[in-house]
Amino acid sequence: MTAPLSTLTLPSGDVELRRAELADLPAIVGLLANDPLGSSRETEVEEADLQPYLDAFRAVDDDPAQLLVVVSAEHDVVGTMQLSFIPGLARGGALRAQIEGVRVDEPYRSQGLGGAMFEWAIAEAQRRGCALVQLTTDKARTDAHRFYERLGFIASHEGLKLELRPSR
Amino acid sequence: MTAPLSTLTLPSGDVELRRAELADLPAIVGLLANDPLGSSRETEVEEADLQPYLDAFRAVDDDPAQLLVVVSAEHDVVGTMQLSFIPGLARGGALRAQIEGVRVDEPYRSQGLGGAMFEWAIAEAQRRGCALVQLTTDKARTDAHRFYERLGFIASHEGLKLELRPSR
């Protein structure tokens, strides 16, 4: 087990935020699938279907600009998110942190875990010298918008997506 | 001069799309600044102020997941955009391409250059195995929304930004 990056204190007790490791992969995919929007995007995962996720995990884990974290309570993974650190010329050559794939397990919602995860992510972005934290959230997630706005995010942009058909 | 990645045919003649090199940096920063929204974000660039941009250019250029391109007509840089290739577990372990910092020089707008740049970018994303192309655009850029929707992008998400104050 990797050393925790942070201990988050919730009403129900302390949980640990740490870098994801390979053994966490089925739990992370489970969290991604167990979501009103995710269930249409992630199919039920049989052992044999894990290969694309394994490949993606390796790509994320090998890239120093990516940081996939999980939150564990006892031995259960109860939350996950991915931070991407993206260099660029805009905004005075600002490094930006992007957050994707945020999921909190059902029993841990409305307990402050999401907020604590974001406070940690924003502090980590600041520590790495980012000038901006950004994310997109599906317009169907109206609760999420209020959550992000309470954290100080401004919904200044449209988030546009174009799905590509596999060419192979 | 690096070899072009593509030749784009416009009514006014052919232009070349190629990987940005260090010598393009002042022109790219000029394009970023010469923009209704960018002018408040990018200050006038004196020679001495280029350092943060130089650092950012190096970070982008050294990262195989980043591709900063320019479009050159004769010897002028008339367009730029940055592609970021982001691995992740969501959507079945999909690689996604993200496009940031798109700018077309004033005289080249409404000539199809933006569309040709995006067609190239979408094809490049497909070639690299991306399942999704994504971008955010300021809600104030209403013309841009129509442009992206014509290309097939769906404005399904809110784009949220949180600016960080420098801690150093």
Side-chain angles (χ1 to χ4, degrees):
Chain A
M1 204 65 84
T2 53
L5 295 164
S6 182
T7 299
L8 311 178
T9 299
L10 304 180
S12 58
D14 286 356
V15 294
E16 290 193 335
L17 185 150
R18 59 176 171 76
R19 186 183 175 92
E21 48 196 41
L22 192 56
D24 301 318
L25 188 55
I28 298 169
V29 174
L31 284 175
L32 290 171
N34 183 21
D35 174 270
L37 295 172
S39 58
S40 62
R41 293 181 189 152
E42 321 298 333
T43 45
E44 283 292 314
V45 179
E46 304 290 329
E47 201 67 19
D49 299 331
L50 265 181
Q51 195 58 49
Y53 291 105
L54 275 167
D55 295 344
F57 181 88
R58 286 290 178 218
V60 168
D61 200 48
D62 288 349
D63 184 345
Q66 308 299 327
L67 179 56
L68 179 67
V69 300
V70 292
V71 174
S72 57
E74 312 275 326
H75 298 292
D76 293 334
V77 170
V78 300
T80 180
M81 68 181 164
Q82 179 179 342
L83 277 64
S84 302
F85 299 94
I86 305 173
L89 295 180
R91 297 176 186 249
L95 184 66
R96 52 184 79 195
Q98 181 162 298
I99 305 180
E100 299 256 16
V102 182
R103 295 293 185 282
V104 171
D105 199 16
E106 184 82 57
Y108 279 81
R109 291 179 203 161
S110 310
Q111 287 205 33
L113 177 52
M117 286 165 65
F118 266 86
E119 275 171 36
W120 177 84
I122 292 164
E124 177 68 11
Q126 189 118 34
R127 196 184 69 76
R128 294 199 188 204
C130 295
L132 194 73
V133 182
Q134 66 183 24
L135 60 91
T136 68
T137 179
D138 198 296
K139 288 181 179 176
R141 299 191 202 267
T142 48
D143 284 359
H145 304 173
R146 285 190 290 274
F147 169 78
Y148 292 126
E149 285 174 353
R150 277 197 302 274
L151 287 166
F153 284 86
I154 309 289
S156 53
H157 285 59
E158 291 285 340
L160 295 121
K161 313 272 175 183
L162 173 68
E163 289 185 27
L164 301 180
R165 286 186 201 87
S167 62
R168 295 164 301 180
Chain B
M1 202 67 81
T2 53
L5 295 165
S6 182
T7 298
L8 311 179
T9 299
L10 303 180
S12 57
D14 286 357
V15 293
E16 291 193 334
L17 185 150
R18 60 177 171 75
R19 186 182 174 93
E21 48 197 39
L22 192 55
D24 300 318
L25 187 55
I28 297 169
V29 175
L31 283 174
L32 291 170
N34 183 21
D35 173 271
L37 295 171
S39 58
S40 63
R41 294 181 189 151
E42 320 300 331
T43 45
E44 283 291 313
V45 179
E46 303 290 327
E47 201 67 19
D49 299 332
L50 265 181
Q51 194 59 48
Y53 291 105
L54 275 167
D55 294 344
F57 181 88
R58 287 288 179 219
V60 168
D61 200 48
D62 288 349
D63 183 345
Q66 308 299 327
L67 178 57
L68 179 66
V69 299
V70 292
V71 174
S72 58
E74 313 274 327
H75 298 292
D76 293 334
V77 170
V78 300
T80 180
M81 66 181 165
Q82 180 180 342
L83 277 64
S84 303
F85 299 94
I86 307 173
L89 294 180
R91 297 176 186 248
L95 183 67
R96 52 184 82 197
Q98 180 162 298
I99 305 180
E100 298 256 16
V102 182
R103 294 294 185 283
V104 171
D105 199 16
E106 184 82 56
Y108 280 81
R109 290 180 204 160
S110 311
Q111 288 206 32
L113 177 53
M117 287 165 64
F118 267 85
E119 275 172 35
W120 176 84
I122 292 165
E124 176 68 10
Q126 189 118 29
R127 196 183 68 77
R128 295 198 187 205
C130 295
L132 193 73
V133 182
Q134 65 183 23
L135 60 92
T136 67
T137 180
D138 198 295
K139 288 182 179 174
R141 298 191 204 268
T142 48
D143 284 357
H145 303 173
R146 284 191 290 272
F147 169 78
Y148 293 125
E149 285 174 353
R150 279 197 301 272
L151 287 166
F153 284 87
I154 309 288
S156 53
H157 285 59
E158 290 285 339
L160 295 121
K161 312 272 173 181
L162 173 68
E163 290 184 27
L164 301 180
R165 285 186 202 85
S167 61
R168 293 166 302 183

